[in-house]
Amino acid sequence: MRLDTLTSAETPEGIALALRPAGVVARAGAFAIDLLIRGALMLVVSMVLAPLGRFGSGLALILWFALEWFYPVLFELLPGGATPGKRALGLRVTMDSGLPITPAASLLRNLLRTADFLPFAYGLGLATVLMRSDFKRLGDIAAGTIVIHVQRATLHGALPEAAPMAPAQALSPRTQAAVIAWAGRSTRITEARLAELAQLAAPATGVNAASRDAVLRLLSVANWLMGKR
């Protein structure tokens, strides 16, 4: 059987998302890139502060602490939700719902890297990732976050096929636009939400039927409004 690495999520608006969790190899590669970047930055800082003696060494330790613990938090909260290493490999960190990560969640998942590091070399974190289908380490489990592969955006211009049917009454331009927009998003919305919106549109379109029939008939109206006869 084919290994399925997709996990589903539903936004508060009822839109169903298919997220592709990032596995060990991709995340290890991103970590290595970020480690090199942090190491290079620290080397430059140490060279600049070296002439200051012990005072410079103290500043270097403070900067190293900040760089180690807040480097990932800073980049995860920026647009894109990814450190340079993750961005280079097409990864990003989101909430389980697919929404952008929150400051509290980012701080929690990164602070718990201490637990993931146990007993050494991220042994516990690696074991947790390998045992879960969504490849979460302890920090992700506690914070409700997930590392995913960024998928290219696709256009959804074409409406689902349905026999064109004229609406039972004349519709205002605003209502027509709403019906067409609903049909254009129908492949990305959960069935329950799709049926709920179709029922709400019944008074305006005259499409009064059971949930499944309401969806099909409203799709027919949308196709008619798009000029399909």
Side-chain angles (χ1 to χ4, degrees):
M1 297 179 62
R2 186 178 61 180
L3 179 63
D4 185 5
T5 58
L6 293 179
T7 182
S8 60
E10 182 178 346
T11 67
E13 294 78 16
I15 299 177
L17 301 176
L19 306 178
R20 184 184 170 204
V24 173
V25 175
R27 294 177 68 168
F31 178 81
I33 294 174
D34 287 324
L35 185 63
L36 289 174
I37 292 174
R38 294 201 303 271
L41 289 175
M42 199 58 213
L43 178 60
V44 172
V45 169
S46 298
M47 293 174 62
V48 172
L49 296 178
L52 299 180
R54 296 179 62 183
F55 178 72
S57 299
L59 284 179
L61 289 175
I62 294 174
L63 292 174
W64 175 254
F65 176 84
L67 193 62
E68 177 65 23
W69 292 105
F70 297 107
Y71 167 92
V73 175
L74 172 63
F75 283 105
E76 287 173 5
L77 296 181
L78 292 176
T83 60
K86 288 186 175 67
R87 191 184 297 271
L89 295 183
L91 309 180
R92 72 178 300 176
V93 185
T94 70
M95 303 302 293
D96 286 340
S97 60
L99 296 176
I101 189 171
T102 63
S106 179
L107 189 61
L108 178 59
R109 75 179 299 271
N110 284 291
L111 287 177
L112 283 178
R113 282 190 295 143
T114 304
D116 286 309
F117 187 82
L118 298 173
F120 60 89
Y122 287 96
L124 186 57
L126 177 62
T128 306
V129 169
L130 293 176
M131 289 190 296
R132 295 180 58 93
S133 60
D134 54 10
F135 306 134
K136 285 189 175 188
R137 59 177 179 82
L138 292 178
D140 291 314
I141 297 172
T145 57
I146 185 171
V147 181
I148 61 173
H149 290 275
V150 178
Q151 299 181 2
R152 293 177 179 268
T154 56
L155 298 177
H156 298 272
L159 299 184
E161 291 296 329
M165 182 184 71
Q169 59 188 44
L171 303 179
S172 67
R174 184 175 180 179
T175 303
Q176 293 181 35
V179 171
I180 294 173
W182 168 88
R185 298 172 60 196
S186 61
T187 57
R188 294 175 288 161
I189 303 176
T190 58
E191 292 186 8
R193 181 61 172 163
L194 198 64
E196 179 185 358
L197 293 175
Q199 291 288 347
L200 292 175
T205 60
V207 181
N208 295 302
S211 296
R212 183 60 182 170
D213 291 336
V215 171
L216 294 176
R217 293 183 64 183
L218 193 55
L219 284 174
S220 297
V221 171
N223 277 277
W224 188 89
L225 293 174
M226 289 294 292
K228 298 180 180 180
R229 302 289 191 270

